[in-house]
Amino acid sequence: MIRTSLDGALIANVVERLSPVDRAAPAGRQPVHTCYVPADKLTPDLSREWGAQALATLDAHRELLDVPDDIVARVRAKLEREPIEDLRIDFEDGYGSRPEPVEDADAERAATTLAAWLRAGTAPAWSGIRFKSFDTRTLLERGVRTLDIFLTALGRDIAPSLVLTFPKVTSPAQVSALCDLLEPLEDRLGLPDGALHFEIQIETVQSIVDVKGRITVPRLISAGRGRVTGLHFGTYDYTAECGLDAAQQHLAHPACDFARHVMQVSAAAAGIRLSDGSTNLLPVGDDVEHAWRTHYVLVRRSLEHGFHQSWDLHPAQLVTRYAAVYGYYLETAPASARRLGAYLSGRTGSVADEPATARALAGTLRRAVDCGALTEAEVTALVGSDRWSAHA
């Protein structure tokens, strides 16, 4: 008989204490981008208009897009079907400071427009607003009023796909204060507890490392009381705070890599999604080729760093958004599928994958299907089994 020294009750106690630290994984589809539109530029047919402008730019400048015709065909289909996956109606930097009655009216109009889309079934898969920061008392009061007007006008039309974006966060106290406002809003609007959630924009140096040298991001997430669903990187505010001159304020700068890595390791076990920032080089006029090339490279770079989402600021950026995303997944899918197929079949080869790697491979293939780069049938054919989806 095999003898042991630890009794079952002691082991059960240890297991019970450790069970809360199991890794959480984000559930469901993640958008490949967030499109930021100033609130005064919001129109009732915005998504179709962005898609039409993107297609027109593609038609006018196809020769500047150095990608295969197959990818262009998939991009065209996406722009016709779902040009915007995630929309943020902006009341912050993209909107600026307006007279009180003007911002009040825009906040209410944003809500009624979104409510009309939701009723008609034409809303983007995700949508919401970015309100003003809590940097100063004036901005805080204005941001809270805009948020209140918007949510009150939506009322019970608030959908699970609604996302609020909290900019320029500098401390856990600000995150906690926002939660203190959302809790009574839910109560007074008759919403379930926890119905309102938000993203934190990481665009200040204090949101990465505080004045005492402590990593801030985990404490921001904790202060969110389960309401934080995403961390979005803000390129230009962050690089400016780092003291970089204008020419060095871009997503590929090492300072941005450091911030992204901190975000990545802080959010990995929290089930919180990550989004990279934007490029302010817009594909308009004589700058289409340079802006497209820059955007394409940066989107690919974000994907390679494990950031599956980033920002778009102009309709013509949708062309290189989907061209870069589709190109990335079409190039990586065969190798990912072969490895996953070997794992599922129990075959041994030159690579000995583990369950965590299999989940990552399946997750990559699932993202490819979700965004339209590949179909379920194409992935199943590549893997050689329809069991791949169960691992995603």
Side-chain angles (χ1 to χ4, degrees), residues 30-36 86 88 163 165 199-203 229-235 251 256 259-261 263-264 267 272-278 302-303 305-312 321:
Q30 179 176 7
V32 300
H33 67 175
T34 300
C35 296
Y36 278 80
D86 184 22
R88 209 64 76 248
V163 186
T165 303
E199 309 159 333
I200 296 173
Q201 284 202 258
I202 303 297
E203 50 186 337
T229 58
L231 301 175
H232 284 225
F233 184 60
T235 315
L251 272 176
C256 297
R260 280 193 293 262
H261 292 156
M263 292 167 62
Q264 207 163 36
I272 290 174
R273 288 178 168 149
L274 301 173
S275 175
D276 217 342
S278 63
S302 294
L303 290 167
H305 281 71
F307 279 67
H308 309 295
Q309 179 179 354
S310 48
W311 300 0
D312 289 327
R321 164 66 54 190

Side-chain angles (χ1 to χ4, degrees), residues 191-208:
L191 300 172
D193 292 344
L196 299 173
H197 49 265
F198 56 93
E199 309 159 333
I200 296 173
Q201 284 202 258
I202 303 297
E203 50 186 337
T204 66
V205 293
Q206 300 100 311
S207 64
I208 294 293

